[in-house]
mmCIF file of all heavy atoms in Angstrom:
data_model
loop_
_atom_site.group_PDB
_atom_site.id
_atom_site.type_symbol
_atom_site.label_atom_id
_atom_site.label_comp_id
_atom_site.label_asym_id
_atom_site.label_seq_id
_atom_site.Cartn_x
_atom_site.Cartn_y
_atom_site.Cartn_z
ATOM 1 N N MET B 19 129.665 136.886 159.655
ATOM 2 C CA MET B 19 128.379 137.317 160.173
ATOM 3 C C MET B 19 127.875 136.333 161.150
ATOM 4 O O MET B 19 127.199 135.368 160.873
ATOM 5 C CB MET B 19 127.435 137.455 158.960
ATOM 6 C CG MET B 19 127.640 138.599 158.094
ATOM 7 S SD MET B 19 126.347 138.869 156.924
ATOM 8 C CE MET B 19 126.620 137.512 155.767
ATOM 9 N N THR B 20 128.194 136.495 162.385
ATOM 10 C CA THR B 20 127.731 135.601 163.406
ATOM 11 C C THR B 20 126.267 135.747 163.619
ATOM 12 O O THR B 20 125.752 136.862 163.780
ATOM 13 C CB THR B 20 128.459 135.941 164.752
ATOM 14 O OG1 THR B 20 129.866 135.847 164.555
ATOM 15 C CG2 THR B 20 128.084 135.017 165.836
ATOM 16 N N GLY B 21 125.530 134.687 163.534
ATOM 17 C CA GLY B 21 124.099 134.705 163.743
ATOM 18 C C GLY B 21 123.322 135.185 162.548
ATOM 19 O O GLY B 21 122.098 135.295 162.584
ATOM 20 N N ARG B 22 123.986 135.457 161.464
ATOM 21 C CA ARG B 22 123.278 135.879 160.210
ATOM 22 C C ARG B 22 123.645 134.944 159.129
ATOM 23 O O ARG B 22 124.726 134.392 159.004
ATOM 24 C CB ARG B 22 123.639 137.325 159.831
ATOM 25 C CG ARG B 22 123.135 138.277 160.879
ATOM 26 C CD ARG B 22 123.286 139.685 160.373
ATOM 27 N NE ARG B 22 122.845 140.596 161.396
ATOM 28 C CZ ARG B 22 123.026 141.900 161.324
ATOM 29 N NH1 ARG B 22 123.630 142.419 160.332
ATOM 30 N NH2 ARG B 22 122.574 142.669 162.300
ATOM 31 N N THR B 23 122.733 134.914 158.204
ATOM 32 C CA THR B 23 122.933 134.100 156.947
ATOM 33 C C THR B 23 122.921 135.085 155.773
ATOM 34 O O THR B 23 121.994 135.820 155.597
ATOM 35 C CB THR B 23 121.806 133.077 156.811
ATOM 36 O OG1 THR B 23 121.790 132.230 157.968
ATOM 37 C CG2 THR B 23 122.021 132.220 155.571
ATOM 38 N N GLY B 24 123.932 135.039 154.964
ATOM 39 C CA GLY B 24 123.935 135.817 153.737
ATOM 40 C C GLY B 24 122.816 135.382 152.797
ATOM 41 O O GLY B 24 122.670 134.175 152.585
ATOM 42 N N VAL B 25 122.076 136.323 152.308
ATOM 43 C CA VAL B 25 120.975 135.974 151.449
ATOM 44 C C VAL B 25 121.254 136.396 149.997
ATOM 45 O O VAL B 25 120.989 135.638 149.049
ATOM 46 C CB VAL B 25 119.649 136.659 151.939
ATOM 47 C CG1 VAL B 25 118.508 136.417 151.034
ATOM 48 C CG2 VAL B 25 119.299 136.168 153.324
ATOM 49 N N GLY B 26 121.723 137.542 149.793
ATOM 50 C CA GLY B 26 122.007 137.987 148.453
ATOM 51 C C GLY B 26 122.779 139.285 148.320
ATOM 52 O O GLY B 26 122.865 140.077 149.317
ATOM 53 N N VAL B 27 123.352 139.449 147.129
ATOM 54 C CA VAL B 27 124.127 140.684 146.835
ATOM 55 C C VAL B 27 123.562 141.176 145.493
ATOM 56 O O VAL B 27 123.343 140.422 144.575
ATOM 57 C CB VAL B 27 125.623 140.365 146.700
ATOM 58 C CG1 VAL B 27 126.342 141.674 146.321
ATOM 59 C CG2 VAL B 27 126.163 139.825 148.015
ATOM 60 N N GLY B 28 123.339 142.470 145.466
ATOM 61 C CA GLY B 28 122.875 143.074 144.200
ATOM 62 C C GLY B 28 122.577 144.551 144.429
ATOM 63 O O GLY B 28 122.580 145.029 145.614
ATOM 64 N N ASP B 29 122.275 145.261 143.386
ATOM 65 C CA ASP B 29 121.988 146.703 143.510
ATOM 66 C C ASP B 29 120.504 146.906 143.834
ATOM 67 O O ASP B 29 119.696 146.946 142.972
ATOM 68 C CB ASP B 29 122.350 147.401 142.197
ATOM 69 C CG ASP B 29 122.153 148.875 142.250
ATOM 70 O OD1 ASP B 29 122.013 149.399 143.398
ATOM 71 O OD2 ASP B 29 122.147 149.552 141.242
ATOM 72 N N ILE B 30 120.211 146.977 145.114
ATOM 73 C CA ILE B 30 118.830 147.149 145.554
ATOM 74 C C ILE B 30 118.410 148.608 145.568
ATOM 75 O O ILE B 30 117.219 148.888 145.305
ATOM 76 C CB ILE B 30 118.698 146.510 146.919
ATOM 77 C CG1 ILE B 30 118.892 145.010 146.819
ATOM 78 C CG2 ILE B 30 117.335 146.794 147.540
ATOM 79 C CD1 ILE B 30 119.006 144.268 148.097
ATOM 80 N N THR B 31 119.332 149.470 145.823
ATOM 81 C CA THR B 31 119.039 150.891 145.931
ATOM 82 C C THR B 31 119.027 151.627 144.615
ATOM 83 O O THR B 31 118.561 152.780 144.543
ATOM 84 C CB THR B 31 120.008 151.602 146.913
ATOM 85 O OG1 THR B 31 121.358 151.457 146.402
ATOM 86 C CG2 THR B 31 119.886 151.011 148.327
ATOM 87 N N GLY B 32 119.576 150.975 143.575
ATOM 88 C CA GLY B 32 119.549 151.578 142.226
ATOM 89 C C GLY B 32 120.655 152.645 142.015
ATOM 90 O O GLY B 32 120.625 153.393 141.037
ATOM 91 N N ASP B 33 121.722 152.599 142.871
ATOM 92 C CA ASP B 33 122.822 153.527 142.717
ATOM 93 C C ASP B 33 123.990 152.918 141.920
ATOM 94 O O ASP B 33 125.033 153.578 141.810
ATOM 95 C CB ASP B 33 123.259 154.005 144.081
ATOM 96 C CG ASP B 33 123.820 152.915 144.960
ATOM 97 O OD1 ASP B 33 123.853 151.709 144.520
ATOM 98 O OD2 ASP B 33 124.267 153.207 146.028
ATOM 99 N N GLY B 34 123.889 151.718 141.457
ATOM 100 C CA GLY B 34 124.958 151.166 140.651
ATOM 101 C C GLY B 34 125.968 150.453 141.485
ATOM 102 O O GLY B 34 126.992 149.916 140.952
ATOM 103 N N LYS B 35 125.783 150.324 142.834
ATOM 104 C CA LYS B 35 126.814 149.630 143.693
ATOM 105 C C LYS B 35 126.028 148.509 144.357
ATOM 106 O O LYS B 35 124.892 148.611 144.715
ATOM 107 C CB LYS B 35 127.242 150.618 144.790
ATOM 108 C CG LYS B 35 128.012 151.821 144.154
ATOM 109 C CD LYS B 35 128.356 152.783 145.201
ATOM 110 C CE LYS B 35 129.087 153.996 144.634
ATOM 111 N NZ LYS B 35 128.188 155.078 144.311
ATOM 112 N N ASP B 36 126.749 147.417 144.530
ATOM 113 C CA ASP B 36 126.202 146.224 145.164
ATOM 114 C C ASP B 36 125.821 146.456 146.555
ATOM 115 O O ASP B 36 126.623 147.104 147.351
ATOM 116 C CB ASP B 36 127.091 144.978 145.076
ATOM 117 C CG ASP B 36 127.167 144.386 143.697
ATOM 118 O OD1 ASP B 36 126.200 144.628 142.948
ATOM 119 O OD2 ASP B 36 128.136 143.659 143.391
ATOM 120 N N ASP B 37 124.672 145.948 147.023
ATOM 121 C CA ASP B 37 124.283 145.979 148.460
ATOM 122 C C ASP B 37 124.114 144.557 148.953
ATOM 123 O O ASP B 37 124.031 143.593 148.173
ATOM 124 C CB ASP B 37 122.860 146.661 148.526
ATOM 125 C CG ASP B 37 122.815 148.054 147.871
ATOM 126 O OD1 ASP B 37 123.702 148.873 148.218
ATOM 127 O OD2 ASP B 37 121.918 148.288 147.008
ATOM 128 N N LEU B 38 124.248 144.383 150.238
ATOM 129 C CA LEU B 38 124.197 143.082 150.847
ATOM 130 C C LEU B 38 122.946 142.934 151.607
ATOM 131 O O LEU B 38 122.578 143.825 152.401
ATOM 132 C CB LEU B 38 125.432 142.857 151.742
ATOM 133 C CG LEU B 38 125.379 141.550 152.560
ATOM 134 C CD1 LEU B 38 125.568 140.369 151.759
ATOM 135 C CD2 LEU B 38 126.501 141.622 153.615
ATOM 136 N N ILE B 39 122.168 141.890 151.369
ATOM 137 C CA ILE B 39 121.015 141.546 152.136
ATOM 138 C C ILE B 39 121.261 140.315 153.007
ATOM 139 O O ILE B 39 121.812 139.322 152.476
ATOM 140 C CB ILE B 39 119.799 141.253 151.235
ATOM 141 C CG1 ILE B 39 119.483 142.445 150.323
ATOM 142 C CG2 ILE B 39 118.559 140.824 151.984
ATOM 143 C CD1 ILE B 39 119.034 143.634 151.119
ATOM 144 N N SER B 40 120.982 140.384 154.286
ATOM 145 C CA SER B 40 121.269 139.224 155.168
ATOM 146 C C SER B 40 120.013 139.118 156.058
ATOM 147 O O SER B 40 119.179 139.963 156.180
ATOM 148 C CB SER B 40 122.481 139.399 155.969
ATOM 149 O OG SER B 40 122.424 140.615 156.759
ATOM 150 N N ARG B 41 119.932 137.927 156.670
ATOM 151 C CA ARG B 41 118.874 137.730 157.661
ATOM 152 C C ARG B 41 119.442 136.970 158.844
ATOM 153 O O ARG B 41 120.326 136.236 158.750
ATOM 154 C CB ARG B 41 117.683 136.922 156.977
ATOM 155 C CG ARG B 41 117.665 135.515 157.165
ATOM 156 C CD ARG B 41 116.550 134.819 156.436
ATOM 157 N NE ARG B 41 116.984 133.644 155.708
ATOM 158 C CZ ARG B 41 117.152 132.478 156.267
ATOM 159 N NH1 ARG B 41 116.857 132.302 157.499
ATOM 160 N NH2 ARG B 41 117.631 131.530 155.574
ATOM 161 N N ASP B 42 118.821 137.330 160.019
ATOM 162 C CA ASP B 42 119.287 136.648 161.210
ATOM 163 C C ASP B 42 118.461 135.381 161.481
ATOM 164 O O ASP B 42 117.566 135.085 160.699
ATOM 165 C CB ASP B 42 119.275 137.653 162.422
ATOM 166 C CG ASP B 42 117.885 138.141 162.787
ATOM 167 O OD1 ASP B 42 116.842 137.528 162.346
ATOM 168 O OD2 ASP B 42 117.816 139.143 163.430
ATOM 169 N N THR B 43 118.782 134.739 162.539
ATOM 170 C CA THR B 43 118.170 133.456 162.874
ATOM 171 C C THR B 43 116.672 133.605 163.164
ATOM 172 O O THR B 43 115.934 132.645 163.136
ATOM 173 C CB THR B 43 118.880 132.701 163.969
ATOM 174 O OG1 THR B 43 118.955 133.582 165.128
ATOM 175 C CG2 THR B 43 120.266 132.310 163.534
ATOM 176 N N ALA B 44 116.250 134.846 163.577
ATOM 177 C CA ALA B 44 114.826 135.083 163.815
ATOM 178 C C ALA B 44 114.063 135.487 162.608
ATOM 179 O O ALA B 44 112.820 135.671 162.638
ATOM 180 C CB ALA B 44 114.674 136.249 164.861
ATOM 181 N N GLY B 45 114.809 135.592 161.440
ATOM 182 C CA GLY B 45 114.036 135.889 160.206
ATOM 183 C C GLY B 45 114.041 137.361 159.840
ATOM 184 O O GLY B 45 113.491 137.763 158.851
ATOM 185 N N ASN B 46 114.683 138.279 160.694
ATOM 186 C CA ASN B 46 114.735 139.686 160.383
ATOM 187 C C ASN B 46 115.685 139.884 159.199
ATOM 188 O O ASN B 46 116.757 139.371 159.191
ATOM 189 C CB ASN B 46 115.194 140.465 161.557
ATOM 190 C CG ASN B 46 114.228 140.297 162.690
ATOM 191 O OD1 ASN B 46 113.058 140.561 162.620
ATOM 192 N ND2 ASN B 46 114.750 139.899 163.870
ATOM 193 N N LEU B 47 115.280 140.788 158.235
ATOM 194 C CA LEU B 47 116.106 141.098 157.085
ATOM 195 C C LEU B 47 116.894 142.402 157.359
ATOM 196 O O LEU B 47 116.336 143.356 157.983
ATOM 197 C CB LEU B 47 115.255 141.305 155.841
ATOM 198 C CG LEU B 47 114.706 140.000 155.268
ATOM 199 C CD1 LEU B 47 113.790 140.333 154.108
ATOM 200 C CD2 LEU B 47 115.810 139.048 154.841
ATOM 201 N N TYR B 48 118.104 142.434 156.862
ATOM 202 C CA TYR B 48 119.020 143.647 156.993
ATOM 203 C C TYR B 48 119.548 143.954 155.683
ATOM 204 O O TYR B 48 119.933 143.105 154.875
ATOM 205 C CB TYR B 48 120.119 143.349 157.948
ATOM 206 C CG TYR B 48 119.683 142.987 159.355
ATOM 207 C CD1 TYR B 48 119.428 141.713 159.705
ATOM 208 C CD2 TYR B 48 119.495 143.968 160.264
ATOM 209 C CE1 TYR B 48 119.024 141.350 160.950
ATOM 210 C CE2 TYR B 48 119.069 143.709 161.564
ATOM 211 C CZ TYR B 48 118.847 142.357 161.881
ATOM 212 O OH TYR B 48 118.392 142.059 163.177
ATOM 213 N N ARG B 49 119.603 145.254 155.294
ATOM 214 C CA ARG B 49 120.237 145.745 154.130
ATOM 215 C C ARG B 49 121.510 146.541 154.517
ATOM 216 O O ARG B 49 121.441 147.485 155.248
ATOM 217 C CB ARG B 49 119.313 146.634 153.330
ATOM 218 C CG ARG B 49 119.998 147.136 152.033
ATOM 219 C CD ARG B 49 119.171 148.154 151.299
ATOM 220 N NE ARG B 49 119.402 149.459 151.939
ATOM 221 C CZ ARG B 49 118.509 150.375 152.036
ATOM 222 N NH1 ARG B 49 117.255 150.220 151.554
ATOM 223 N NH2 ARG B 49 118.797 151.551 152.625
ATOM 224 N N ASN B 50 122.627 146.076 153.933
ATOM 225 C CA ASN B 50 123.835 146.840 154.166
ATOM 226 C C ASN B 50 124.129 147.587 152.738
ATOM 227 O O ASN B 50 124.493 146.860 151.784
ATOM 228 C CB ASN B 50 125.037 145.950 154.504
ATOM 229 C CG ASN B 50 124.755 145.286 155.874
ATOM 230 O OD1 ASN B 50 124.157 144.251 155.917
ATOM 231 N ND2 ASN B 50 125.233 145.899 156.888
ATOM 232 N N THR B 51 123.916 148.824 152.736
ATOM 233 C CA THR B 51 124.035 149.577 151.500
ATOM 234 C C THR B 51 125.539 149.725 151.096
ATOM 235 O O THR B 51 126.328 150.102 151.910
ATOM 236 C CB THR B 51 123.423 150.994 151.650
ATOM 237 O OG1 THR B 51 122.058 150.856 152.080
ATOM 238 C CG2 THR B 51 123.471 151.813 150.336
ATOM 239 N N GLY B 52 125.866 149.312 149.855
ATOM 240 C CA GLY B 52 127.225 149.361 149.377
ATOM 241 C C GLY B 52 127.614 150.850 149.054
ATOM 242 O O GLY B 52 126.814 151.595 148.539
ATOM 243 N N THR B 53 128.837 151.122 149.370
ATOM 244 C CA THR B 53 129.368 152.481 149.053
ATOM 245 C C THR B 53 130.318 152.480 147.885
ATOM 246 O O THR B 53 130.685 153.522 147.373
ATOM 247 C CB THR B 53 130.135 153.028 150.276
ATOM 248 O OG1 THR B 53 131.254 152.203 150.542
ATOM 249 C CG2 THR B 53 129.221 153.071 151.541
ATOM 250 N N GLY B 54 130.714 151.308 147.440
ATOM 251 C CA GLY B 54 131.658 151.215 146.364
ATOM 252 C C GLY B 54 133.126 151.332 146.791
ATOM 253 O O GLY B 54 134.031 151.347 146.022
ATOM 254 N N LYS B 55 133.334 151.485 148.088
ATOM 255 C CA LYS B 55 134.694 151.609 148.710
ATOM 256 C C LYS B 55 135.021 150.329 149.436
ATOM 257 O O LYS B 55 134.217 149.826 150.165
ATOM 258 C CB LYS B 55 134.774 152.804 149.615
ATOM 259 C CG LYS B 55 134.503 154.117 148.987
ATOM 260 C CD LYS B 55 134.605 155.263 149.924
ATOM 261 C CE LYS B 55 134.314 156.582 149.229
ATOM 262 N NZ LYS B 55 134.308 157.703 150.095
ATOM 263 N N ASP B 56 136.267 149.893 149.342
ATOM 264 C CA ASP B 56 136.679 148.693 150.067
ATOM 265 C C ASP B 56 137.144 149.154 151.460
ATOM 266 O O ASP B 56 138.074 149.954 151.593
ATOM 267 C CB ASP B 56 137.879 148.076 149.328
ATOM 268 C CG ASP B 56 138.330 146.777 149.996
ATOM 269 O OD1 ASP B 56 137.884 146.395 151.006
ATOM 270 O OD2 ASP B 56 139.222 146.141 149.430
ATOM 271 N N PRO B 57 136.501 148.764 152.569
ATOM 272 C CA PRO B 57 136.887 149.152 153.881
ATOM 273 C C PRO B 57 138.181 148.619 154.400
ATOM 274 O O PRO B 57 138.674 149.130 155.399
ATOM 275 C CB PRO B 57 135.713 148.637 154.739
ATOM 276 C CG PRO B 57 135.237 147.410 154.005
ATOM 277 C CD PRO B 57 135.473 147.743 152.530
ATOM 278 N N SER B 58 138.739 147.615 153.781
ATOM 279 C CA SER B 58 140.022 147.088 154.273
ATOM 280 C C SER B 58 141.102 147.231 153.245
ATOM 281 O O SER B 58 140.948 146.713 152.079
ATOM 282 C CB SER B 58 139.807 145.639 154.634
ATOM 283 O OG SER B 58 139.372 144.858 153.572
ATOM 284 N N PRO B 59 142.168 147.828 153.599
ATOM 285 C CA PRO B 59 143.289 147.940 152.564
ATOM 286 C C PRO B 59 143.912 146.617 152.305
ATOM 287 O O PRO B 59 143.923 145.711 153.114
ATOM 288 C CB PRO B 59 144.298 148.910 153.289
ATOM 289 C CG PRO B 59 143.957 148.882 154.699
ATOM 290 C CD PRO B 59 142.465 148.450 154.825
ATOM 291 N N ARG B 60 144.360 146.531 151.057
ATOM 292 C CA ARG B 60 145.015 145.232 150.641
ATOM 293 C C ARG B 60 146.496 145.408 150.672
ATOM 294 O O ARG B 60 147.054 146.418 150.389
ATOM 295 C CB ARG B 60 144.547 144.956 149.200
ATOM 296 C CG ARG B 60 143.051 144.799 149.073
ATOM 297 C CD ARG B 60 142.672 144.146 147.778
ATOM 298 N NE ARG B 60 141.260 144.222 147.521
ATOM 299 C CZ ARG B 60 140.368 143.426 148.096
ATOM 300 N NH1 ARG B 60 140.695 142.408 148.843
ATOM 301 N NH2 ARG B 60 139.073 143.522 147.810
ATOM 302 N N ALA B 61 147.161 144.310 151.085
ATOM 303 C CA ALA B 61 148.625 144.279 151.196
ATOM 304 C C ALA B 61 149.249 144.060 149.811
ATOM 305 O O ALA B 61 148.699 143.494 148.924
ATOM 306 C CB ALA B 61 149.027 143.215 152.149
#
């Protein structure tokens, strides 16, 4: 996460899946809603 600092992970939306909260260097907060799917396949 270039220019962002990880702040926390937890179920913020109440759907049972972890969400990611981050903030940028200006202090803006961002929520990345978890889908429960891994976006990158494992070898």
Side-chain angles (χ1 to χ4, degrees):
M19 286 189 287
T20 304
R22 293 192 183 169
T23 302
V25 176
V27 175
D29 183 16
I30 295 172
T31 59
D33 63 359
K35 299 175 180 95
D36 284 339
D37 306 307
L38 173 68
I39 299 297
S40 60
R41 94 181 134 86
D42 62 19
T43 55
N46 298 305
L47 288 174
Y48 299 91
R49 181 187 80 213
N50 297 88
T51 303
T53 63
K55 297 180 181 177
D56 185 356
S58 58
R60 302 195 189 276

